[in-house]
Amino acid sequence: MSTTKLNKLIKTLDTKQMRCWVSILILLLFFGTNVATAQEIILRGKVPVYIHPEEPAPVRKAVTDLLRDLNNVFGQPSQVVDKLPESGPVIVVATGTRYEGSQKPVSGWEAHQVYADHGRVILNGADMRGTIYAVYSFSELVLGVKPLWFWTSEKPAKKGKVLIAADYLKAFSSPYVKYRAWLPNDTDFLTPWQKLSAENYEAFYETMLRLKLNTLEGSIADKSSFTAPFPAGKDATIGQRRGLITTGHHMQIFGSNYSNWADYWQKIRKLPVPELKIANRDALKEWWAYHIDLAVKNKLDVIWLVGFRGNRDIPFWEFFPDAPTDPASRAKVIDEMVHIQIDLLKEKIKDPHPPMRLTLYNEMSTLVAGGFFKLPDEPSLIRNFVAARRDHFPAADVRSHQFSGEPAGYYMNFQFTSTGSHLAQAEGPRKMQQNFRMVDSLSGNKLIFSVVNAGNMREHLLELSANAEMMWNFKTFKPEEFLKSFSANYFGDPFGAEIGTLYTDFFNSYWQQKKGDLPGFERQYLFQDMRYARAMEMLLNDLEKGKYSVNPLDNHPMDNPDKGSVGYFRVIPADNAATDQLDALLKGTTSSIAKLEAVTARADGLYAKIKQGRHFFDDNLRGQAYLMLHLNRSLQLLTLAYQKRDDKPGKRQLIGQSLDEIHLAQQRLHQSEHDQFAGWYANDTKFGMKNIEQRLTNLYKQLTP
């Protein structure tokens, strides 16, 4: 048809017909758009949650947290329904092939996904923990409930509704490191706080799972485990209920604790308590067997710890009265005990290759590095190497070990009791990354177990989050990107990059009192907050006794190679362009003070601007920077007072100023005791802030004219 004829035909069309066709076209466009929109899932308050009937108790416990999250976000309670609704928005929780939807079930250890499926939101894992992680991933990604929400003193933002795209899919493949553990240790703040409420007690475990950890290091038994009905210890029981694996602390063989030795013999065996001696191996074997049976009876998922140490964090030869005195004989005892334990375990659980780990902590690291102890040839035994004590970097044993494909583990301290971080984080994501990458590389990429000493947890939340992220996404983890992302998530997108950089500058403000000796390893030696306390105590000891030394940090009683304890302070004057330790202390604190003054000034500016996460910013970064600033000033002023010797007026003035800085440090700690954390620092038994305050006060009074 020609163009002319077509134009004539159009002109002859009735106007009403034209209007009709236009209307039809508009309606088609309108309904087409609304059909696409209708495919979006709209979640509001009271949205039902369906759990597949075969899901185990730990998944249901995670769903209980999800119900709380939904209520916090929407302001209306959701309910678990017994029957899957045929239509309408619903959240479906199912493992593996228990739900057949538009996406294939995920596969692989702890893999999980969250996806939209024709009006339903599917939370699916390849296994039990995968499904648990899917639940918490949904809370974070869709509802906006952050993994650390409880610790930030900031509840999730309220929402009227949440829109989920029809093709929404977030899938997570298996983690790089199979077993990812936390060790709550030296918990002088955490333990009394947990006792205040069930919510406080559960918060630690819930946060582990929100961050996708899977293993709790600690005890399998406690005092209750020796009376009917013979339960596992409280920590192991809560971990089991939430789906966590349990493994023993490095001094607790099969999760046992010698503090319960008498309970076993008196309550279980109804016998006199035998003496704890190396020669009494039958009694030790029976003791260990009870803990294996206890774990099996209570259906714990266990990585069995083997080894031989003392009744606390000490070598066995400091506890057992019949211990040998030379390294070779000591190593021989450990070797014999470990083989007894392995044989016993295989016999009890009828498994030729049970999951086991041997932690090469402290004296074990020294014995292995010295060639005295040979690691057992067991294919399922995780060789759990440990960062060097006091300053945390891969120790000599792992650096010299000849790996041949055996499974490897690594333990790193974020907290360290006597000389490390306790009140303020110091190691940081970058140093953590360097540690684990080095060990993984040395092992031939066989790192399957990681554990970090979490201390009281609250002070180390950023580091713990970084560790959890890296252990899952090991190959792609970058500290700078993590800090930026973490800061944007908790303090708002506009401030992510700036606060991420501020975290880096805070970590770099620590005094490096000794030059590193591992090529390319940054910040190898640090003067953490506990070293400030211990250094002040050394100076106070001399001041109280009228003694003086240009190297007052020498000869600390815990600097004992026989106990595996070396490098208590590691203040090297030459590395600080100093003539002696006093000079090094002054130069080191001067450098840190200048850096911390810059960090706190920038933190003050940001604190005035941010609207999101202000409490958490003040607790986790700004407050810790101020704390370290006051500790640096206090130590510096005390060092200057120490140098005054016979100048009593000058000495008294400086001691008074040092005391003022301790008071300011205490004020910073009190400022973090808000909301559910009221009284958090009341039970300080490790740092000893009140003791230092009292000793400074006494000295100040003694010098009064």
Side-chain angles (χ1 to χ4, degrees):
M1 182 182 292
S2 68
T3 304
T4 303
K5 290 182 179 180
L6 180 61
N7 288 335
K8 286 182 179 180
L9 179 61
I10 292 173
K11 288 179 181 179
T12 60
L13 285 173
D14 184 88
T15 303
K16 290 183 178 180
Q17 287 179 309
M18 179 64 75
R19 288 175 179 170
C20 180
W21 283 108
V22 171
S23 298
I24 291 171
L25 180 61
I26 291 171
L27 287 170
L28 285 171
L29 289 171
F30 175 79
F31 282 111
T33 302
N34 277 272
V35 167
T37 304
Q39 290 177 348
E40 286 184 330
I41 302 173
I42 303 175
L43 297 184
R44 293 187 173 91
K46 298 185 178 181
V47 59
V49 179
Y50 172 76
I51 311 174
H52 191 278
E54 295 180 24
E55 293 302 322
V59 172
R60 295 176 182 275
K61 181 64 176 174
V63 171
T64 300
D65 295 335
L66 171 61
L67 295 176
R68 183 191 59 210
D69 293 347
L70 289 165
N71 191 35
N72 284 340
V73 171
F74 294 127
Q76 293 179 298
S78 289
Q79 301 293 329
V80 173
V81 295
D82 296 328
K83 185 177 180 181
L84 180 61
E86 293 183 4
S87 62
V90 60
I91 299 168
V92 178
V93 180
T95 301
T97 58
R98 290 171 184 163
Y99 177 86
E100 295 183 2
S102 58
Q103 297 293 331
K104 292 181 179 179
V106 287
S107 61
W109 174 268
E110 297 178 345
H112 52 286
Q113 62 182 343
V114 178
Y115 67 93
D117 184 35
H118 302 96
R120 297 170 176 171
V121 182
I122 313 303
L123 315 184
N124 170 243
D127 48 31
M128 177 190 69
R129 266 187 304 276
T131 301
I132 291 171
Y133 297 150
V135 170
Y136 291 124
S137 294
F138 169 81
S139 279
E140 180 180 8
L141 299 174
V142 177
L143 299 180
V145 180
K146 300 176 180 64
L148 302 178
W149 74 270
F150 184 86
W151 306 89
T152 65
S153 298
E154 188 172 271
K155 286 197 172 183
K158 294 284 187 181
K159 300 176 183 178
K161 63 181 179 181
V162 171
L163 301 180
I164 302 176
D167 59 350
Y168 183 88
L169 170 64
K170 292 290 183 182
F172 302 85
S173 57
S174 297
Y176 183 86
V177 177
K178 185 173 184 177
Y179 302 111
R180 307 168 307 283
W182 279 0
L183 165 62
N185 197 41
D186 303 312
T187 52
D188 52 340
F189 312 141
L190 181 66
T191 296
W193 175 81
Q194 284 181 312
K195 293 177 181 178
L196 297 177
S197 72
E199 184 182 31
N200 287 1
Y201 212 102
E202 290 274 351
F204 184 95
Y205 304 87
E206 179 183 332
T207 304
M208 285 187 69
L209 289 163
R210 285 186 183 271
L211 289 172
K212 303 183 183 179
L213 282 299
N214 65 5
T215 304
L216 177 67
E217 180 170 327
S219 299
I220 282 177
D222 60 20
K223 291 294 183 183
S224 69
S225 303
F226 302 92
T227 54
F230 311 107
K234 184 175 182 178
D235 290 342
T237 298
I238 293 177
Q240 177 211 37
R241 289 173 182 169
R242 283 195 167 271
L244 291 169
I245 301 166
T246 295
T247 191
H249 181 281
H250 48 75
M251 66 182 186
Q252 297 176 346
I253 310 309
F254 298 140
S256 65
N257 191 318
Y258 290 130
S259 65
N260 299 322
W261 177 260
D263 293 286
Y264 171 72
W265 295 102
Q266 292 171 345
K267 295 179 180 180
I268 303 296
R269 298 288 284 114
K270 311 295 184 184
L271 292 172
V273 180
E275 187 178 0
L276 270 164
K277 298 179 71 174
I278 295 169
N280 203 349
R281 299 192 180 195
D282 287 342
L284 286 167
K285 186 175 178 180
E286 184 176 330
W287 161 255
W288 293 327
Y290 179 79
H291 288 82
I292 296 171
D293 290 340
L294 182 73
V296 172
K297 169 184 174 291
N298 286 282
K299 300 179 180 179
L300 299 183
D301 190 359
V302 182
I303 301 172
W304 304 94
L305 184 95
V306 297
F308 194 60
R309 303 197 72 218
N311 63 329
R312 51 191 176 87
D313 200 355
I314 55 174
F316 79 85
W317 54 85
E318 289 186 46
F319 175 63
F320 287 88
D322 54 343
T325 57
D326 64 283
S329 298
R330 289 168 171 174
K332 184 174 183 292
V333 169
I334 297 172
D335 180 74
E336 291 170 351
M337 293 296 186
V338 167
H339 279 92
I340 289 172
Q341 293 160 14
I342 292 173
D343 291 343
L344 175 65
L345 178 63
K346 290 179 179 180
E347 176 189 344
K348 296 290 288 183
I349 68 173
K350 310 302 180 186
D351 184 349
H353 302 297
M356 301 176 290
R357 59 187 278 258
L358 173 62
T359 304
L360 305 177
Y361 189 79
N362 194 20
E363 72 280 3
M364 285 296 295
S365 175
T366 303
L367 291 172
V368 170
F372 296 105
F373 184 83
K374 183 179 179 182
L375 296 172
D377 184 16
E378 291 285 339
S380 63
L381 177 69
I382 299 169
R383 284 75 170 165
N384 198 155
F385 294 92
V386 179
R389 295 192 81 194
R390 310 199 185 284
D391 292 282
H392 313 304
F393 53 88
D397 59 344
V398 68
R399 300 200 311 268
S400 61
H401 184 69
Q402 298 298 312
F403 287 91
S404 56
E406 63 269 26
Y410 191 61
Y411 171 117
M412 180 180 174
N413 289 83
F414 285 145
Q415 184 269 169
F416 194 85
T417 304
S418 52
T419 57
S421 296
H422 195 69
L423 301 178
Q425 57 199 331
E427 306 308 314
R430 171 65 176 158
K431 191 171 180 181
M432 181 270 297
Q433 179 205 42
Q434 289 181 292
N435 270 271
F436 282 95
R437 285 216 193 287
M438 182 180 289
V439 174
D440 184 58
S441 177
L442 289 168
S443 71
N445 307 121
K446 294 296 182 180
L447 183 68
I448 70 163
F449 184 95
S450 74
V451 58
V452 287
N453 185 325
N456 289 292
M457 184 175 173
R458 190 176 172 220
E459 291 71 24
H460 304 280
L461 288 167
L462 175 132
E463 294 172 312
L464 293 168
S465 299
N467 174 257
E469 173 69 21
M470 182 181 179
M471 295 308 103
W472 197 289
N473 299 305
F474 198 90
K475 295 295 186 182
T476 59
F477 179 83
K478 295 180 180 179
E480 298 78 11
E481 291 183 6
F482 168 81
L483 287 170
K484 179 180 178 180
S485 174
F486 180 91
S487 299
N489 189 27
Y490 285 96
F491 311 121
D493 285 331
F495 304 102
E498 189 174 359
I499 295 178
T501 300
L502 189 62
Y503 267 115
T504 297
D505 292 343
F506 169 64
F507 288 121
N508 288 334
S509 71
Y510 278 88
W511 175 28
Q512 298 177 52
Q513 78 280 18
K514 182 183 187 306
K515 289 182 179 179
D517 43 42
L518 284 181
F521 196 95
E522 302 167 17
R523 302 174 66 249
Q524 184 177 348
Y525 299 102
L526 301 174
F527 213 73
Q528 305 100 327
D529 65 84
M530 293 286 271
R531 277 181 162 143
Y532 284 80
R534 304 292 85 84
M536 292 184 75
E537 289 170 354
M538 293 291 279
L539 295 176
L540 287 166
N541 289 341
D542 283 359
L543 285 166
E544 289 164 350
K545 297 174 184 176
K547 293 183 177 181
Y548 179 84
S549 169
V550 294
N551 295 308
L553 304 183
D554 286 346
N555 303 315
H556 191 280
M558 287 189 68
D559 223 344
N560 186 343
D562 187 57
K563 299 179 180 181
S565 178
V566 293
Y568 203 80
F569 291 107
R570 289 191 171 112
V571 173
I572 308 300
D575 290 352
N576 293 270
T579 55
D580 50 48
Q581 289 177 352
L582 291 176
D583 190 25
L585 284 169
L586 293 175
K587 288 183 175 179
T589 52
T590 296
S591 174
S592 284
I593 287 169
K595 293 174 182 177
L596 286 164
E597 285 176 342
V599 168
T600 51
R602 287 159 56 200
D604 287 343
L606 283 162
Y607 185 67
K609 295 177 185 177
I610 62 175
K611 305 298 181 185
Q612 177 183 329
R614 296 184 85 244
H615 270 315
F616 187 44
F617 178 78
D618 199 38
D619 295 344
N620 194 253
L621 179 52
R622 180 173 176 253
Q624 291 191 10
Y626 267 111
L627 174 72
M628 292 308 302
L629 176 59
H630 296 312
L631 291 180
N632 271 277
R633 287 173 175 168
S634 186
L635 176 58
Q636 184 178 80
L637 289 161
L638 186 60
T639 304
L640 290 169
Y642 186 94
Q643 289 181 317
K644 288 295 182 180
R645 304 186 71 176
D646 297 327
D647 180 4
K648 289 187 177 181
K651 182 184 293 186
R652 182 175 186 271
Q653 181 182 11
L654 289 164
I655 287 173
Q657 292 171 347
S658 177
L659 180 60
D660 289 341
E661 292 295 332
I662 287 295
H663 288 152
L664 290 171
Q666 289 174 315
Q667 288 177 23
R668 287 307 312 184
L669 294 179
H670 292 324
Q671 196 164 322
S672 295
E673 295 181 309
H674 53 77
D675 301 302
Q676 68 266 37
F677 301 111
W680 177 263
Y681 293 106
N683 297 284
D684 168 27
T685 61
K686 305 299 180 185
F687 188 92
M689 188 79 76
K690 289 182 180 178
N691 179 58
I692 292 171
E693 177 197 25
Q694 187 60 56
R695 292 177 72 179
L696 285 169
T697 300
N698 292 343
L699 267 178
Y700 183 77
K701 290 179 179 178
Q702 290 171 14
L703 292 168
T704 302

